[in-house]
Amino acid sequence: MKVPPATTSGRITVQTPDGKATSPTDFTVPLAGNDDNFETTVRASVTGDPVSVAVTEAGKRARVFFDADQDQSISVGFTQSTFTTAPTVTLVDPQGKTVGTTGYLNTGSSDYEVRDLPVSGTYSLVIDPPSSATGAAVVTVSHPAGGQLTFTSDPAATAMTRAGQDGAWTFDAAKGDSFSLGIDTAGMSDDMNVRLYAPNGDQLNSLSVSKAYYSSLDTDALPTSGTYTLYLDPTNGATGTATVTVSHYASASALDPTGSAVQLGITRPGQDGTLSFTATAGQKMSLGVTPTGFSSYVTGYVYAPDGTKVDSFNVSAGSPAEWDSAALPQTGTYRLRMSPDHLGTGTLATTLSRTVDVGSLTTTGNTATASITRFGQNAQATFTAAAGDDLSLGITGNTFTTTVYIDVIAPSGTKVVTSAALSSQSLWTRGLSDLPESGTYTVVADPYQGAQGSLIGDFVRRRERQCHRRQQLGHRHRRPPRSAHPRPVHRSRR
């Protein structure tokens, strides 16, 4: 019988005026190159039972037929493999063209997948051992589990119950949308790889998640509008259930250095939150953050107006935290992204403050007062000194009920005093001996856990050099010289 050129492998359907019938077995069109070398040819279904293939003679191959539609994705699980050398796995479409990439059938369990099939019809999965290798395996063909999500959907359970089955979820988004993914693999028997695909099929991002664990994936701004795909790929054909949640970033009103604390609520697993504030280049700002409801820490990332990362800090569960900037590098709007660990949810009360500027201190000036009235706020003062100067820093009043840490920073940025602890309501004097540089020094007061209070003192006063002091003392108490004429000696008479 002559076969038309466009004929493909698969079941033959014959239609007449009296009806239509489909053959119970497959009609095979030879593939290019040594097609008679298939020892095993079996048919599988994406919803049917697993099938077994075997290659018992060196140099032979095995083939699995299955039907699929255009734009569908398929995943294949290989179990109970006895091949000691891994055969290659390729997928041939109904037109005889190889699609996807080459995979490998490893000993034990493994998997293989191809996304976005090009045409509808019968596909051929070709298993080709190395020339001397033989063995057998169980093959399961599936469509990915999943469906469609929105940014407000409840967490979605992805039940991957067939060996090698993957998960695939789609969601629609606009260009510039923020994106957070929370994924929980508590129900998985092995690790999982997660990939995010853009509407044009390009991979945007990926992460690996250990079995029975959790992770998150965040994108500040999606690159284009359209339908995105979230692909879950368990390793080694593993089965189980993974729960996914997609969200936009949570947001709150802008921070104001003279306003009240801003409440940022993060309510969805894996969700990040954003805050913003404006500042000018050279300013120093402080943040005080009080967490509520989080089971683990939250990491804060600070970004400059041009998008570069300035710094990061951690907020422990149930404990207030603070962040103090160096001189900020740019003028404009800064962005703060808060990323909870362990898919945490809760509320962050965040206070922005400018550093209290006490002004310039002198060795002959009056006492100065630093009043800190906002959670997380710092205070600073400056003084001018020459290299080699001996000075002292004194605190004569202290209303803080917790520790205050004092830094003294040289003109170059080197710390002369680092985190010197001033205890609750205590007084304090610290010598600054033989200062290393000439120029303007900065004194910074940083209360523990953002406490409020006041420090009063003659912050800087000159301390006399000890050698000079000794010279003065020596001059003041020097004995007069002995007389040149010796005193007469009186002897007693007998």
Side-chain angles (χ1 to χ4, degrees), residues 167-233:
W169 293 95
T170 60
F171 61 92
D172 294 330
K175 180 179 179 179
D177 276 353
S178 59
F179 167 77
S180 287
L181 163 70
I183 183 161
D184 187 341
T185 60
M188 292 301 301
S189 61
D190 208 335
D191 301 343
M192 173 181 290
N193 295 310
V194 180
R195 299 185 289 272
L196 176 64
Y197 292 97
N200 65 357
D202 290 345
Q203 182 176 316
L204 291 181
N205 213 333
S206 65
L207 77 158
S208 296
V209 190
S210 300
K211 67 177 180 179
Y213 205 59
Y214 56 87
S215 192
S216 60
L217 182 68
D218 302 294
T219 299
D220 290 346
L222 294 171
T224 187
S225 297
T227 300
Y228 288 77
T229 301
L230 186 66
Y231 204 84
L232 315 181
D233 183 9

Side-chain angles (χ1 to χ4, degrees), residues 55 57-61 83-88 104-105 127-134:
V55 176
E57 183 179 345
K60 295 291 186 178
R61 297 184 288 174
F83 289 97
T84 55
T85 304
T88 60
Y104 294 91
L105 198 168
I127 299 168
D128 188 4
S131 58
S132 60
T134 59

Side-chain angles (χ1 to χ4, degrees), residues 190-368:
D190 208 335
D191 301 343
M192 173 181 290
N193 295 310
V194 180
R195 299 185 289 272
L196 176 64
Y197 292 97
N200 65 357
D202 290 345
Q203 182 176 316
L204 291 181
N205 213 333
S206 65
L207 77 158
S208 296
V209 190
S210 300
K211 67 177 180 179
Y213 205 59
Y214 56 87
S215 192
S216 60
L217 182 68
D218 302 294
T219 299
D220 290 346
L222 294 171
T224 187
S225 297
T227 300
Y228 288 77
T229 301
L230 186 66
Y231 204 84
L232 315 181
D233 183 9
T235 59
N236 300 319
T239 58
T241 299
T243 301
V244 299
T245 308
V246 297
S247 312
H248 289 309
Y249 289 178
S251 61
S253 59
L255 297 167
D256 183 343
T258 62
S260 301
V262 171
Q263 305 290 327
L264 175 64
I266 296 176
T267 60
R268 296 172 62 81
Q271 187 177 38
D272 280 8
T274 60
L275 296 160
S276 65
F277 64 89
T278 58
T280 58
Q283 271 190 323
K284 293 181 180 180
M285 309 294 279
S286 295
L287 292 169
V289 184
T290 302
T292 303
F294 292 94
S295 61
S296 186
Y297 66 88
V298 178
T299 301
Y301 302 92
V302 183
Y303 297 93
D306 66 357
T308 57
K309 191 174 83 168
V310 174
D311 203 359
S312 64
F313 62 97
N314 286 334
V315 182
S316 299
S319 178
E322 55 182 303
W323 171 78
D324 304 308
S325 77
L328 292 172
Q330 301 169 21
T331 297
T333 300
Y334 286 75
R335 184 170 63 91
L336 178 65
R337 178 167 68 88
M338 306 303 293
S339 183
D341 181 56
H342 207 162
L343 308 183
T345 58
T347 301
L348 299 167
T350 306
T351 303
L352 176 71
S353 304
R354 297 188 185 96
T355 299
V356 175
D357 189 359
V358 176
S360 181
L361 307 172
T362 68
T363 57
T364 58
N366 296 325
T367 59

